[in-house]
Amino acid sequence: NANGRSRRLQRQMQRAEQQATEARLKLLQTQLEPHMLFNTLANLRVLIGSDPARAQHMLDHLIAYLRATLGASRTTTHALQAEFERLADYLELMAVRMGPRLRYTLDLPHDLARHPVPTLLLQPLVENSIRHGLEPKVDGGSIHVSARREGEWLVLEVTDTGVGMGAQAGADSLPATSSGFGMPQVRERLETVYGTSATIDFVAVDADGTRVTIRFPYESTPKI
């Protein structure tokens, strides 16, 4: 009957919308990965001839990073612990390249380790901290990545002690120097999953450094 056909069409529409959302998120993932991969391979090529031990260390972390990335590409969410483990491999790759100019800490409370979050949220923030903050600074600096719960909100933060992004800070504003590779995708990813419930803030820390804060409802269920 007409009602039955209508319900079937509604279910088909919902499935199509879900598949479209998943395809959109997968596309965002593929837009983020090649830049880092090609830079790493270029560094490896140099190290293989000049410092095989460091090259082996870098290759081990690259394999772990790619394995985690492959797993993330098959899903649209994963546990915060997986996100932080993926970051650790990425930062180790950068530490091989930058040496003592890069220091980092990862702060993930045990009670948040299994909480689901969209994949590929934090790496672009860390990558921009390195490219726009630490690499231009002669002495380099540090990056601190943290997760915490504030009442009904989950808060993810990336803070660096780099050269800074100027005073153009504010909720949902994107300073000119932070508009590099991956940042528009992070914003679009948040909007796709959480709609208007999520915010991303860029704040200058004193004269140097930048803090980027992502905030979204702790109990919210992604639309995917």
Side-chain angles (χ1 to χ4, degrees), residues 7 22 51 59-60 62 68-69 77 82 112 138 155 157 162 169 183:
R7 285 193 295 269
E22 290 175 353
D51 193 339
L59 184 58
D60 290 342
L62 177 60
T69 298
T77 63
L112 294 180
V138 174
V155 181
E157 247 176 22
M183 299 310 296

Side-chain angles (χ1 to χ4, degrees), residues 3-208:
N3 288 337
R5 285 197 299 271
S6 177
R7 285 193 295 269
R8 284 195 298 273
L9 284 172
Q10 287 177 352
R11 288 194 295 268
Q12 290 172 345
M13 185 181 299
Q14 289 172 351
R15 284 196 296 269
E17 289 176 348
Q18 179 179 351
Q19 290 169 355
T21 299
E22 290 175 353
R24 186 183 185 192
L25 296 181
K26 293 291 173 58
L27 176 60
L28 294 180
Q29 289 176 332
T30 61
Q31 289 175 314
L32 290 172
E33 293 160 10
H35 174 81
M36 174 266 175
L37 177 59
F38 292 142
N39 277 351
T40 301
L41 291 175
N43 290 325
L44 265 174
R45 184 181 180 88
V46 174
L47 283 176
I48 286 171
S50 62
D51 193 339
R54 289 182 68 198
Q56 182 64 61
H57 180 68
M58 193 174 196
L59 184 58
D60 290 342
H61 283 288
L62 177 60
I63 291 171
Y65 174 84
L66 291 176
R67 184 179 295 117
T69 298
L70 183 61
S73 70
R74 297 192 180 109
T75 183
T76 50
T77 63
H78 63 183
L80 257 177
Q81 182 173 342
E83 182 83 357
F84 271 65
E85 288 173 351
R86 193 167 184 270
L87 269 186
D89 285 314
Y90 172 77
L91 285 165
E92 277 298 308
L93 288 172
M94 297 302 101
V96 172
R97 189 182 79 192
M98 295 180 64
R101 295 181 61 240
L102 172 61
R103 302 172 298 279
Y104 70 88
T105 55
L106 301 174
D107 180 14
L108 175 62
H110 178 73
D111 59 342
L112 294 180
R114 296 176 62 85
H115 191 77
V117 295
T119 57
L120 280 174
L121 270 185
L122 297 179
Q123 181 204 321
L125 303 181
V126 172
E127 183 175 349
N128 274 271
S129 286
I130 291 175
R131 292 176 62 196
H132 299 298
L134 272 58
E135 283 189 330
K137 195 172 182 179
V138 174
D139 297 330
S142 63
I143 294 176
H144 178 68
V145 184
S146 64
R148 66 181 184 274
R149 183 175 181 181
E150 292 184 353
E152 298 179 354
W153 299 93
L154 180 65
V155 181
L156 307 177
E157 247 176 22
V158 177
T159 305
D160 68 67
T161 61
V163 296
M165 293 182 177
Q168 314 128 298
D172 290 329
S173 64
L174 191 63
T177 54
S178 70
S179 59
F181 190 86
M183 299 310 296
Q185 286 83 355
V186 172
R187 183 184 303 283
E188 186 174 352
R189 192 162 179 75
L190 286 170
E191 290 175 353
T192 299
V193 177
Y194 297 104
T196 59
S197 299
T199 62
I200 178 168
D201 300 347
F202 294 80
V203 179
V205 181
D206 299 324
D208 297 328

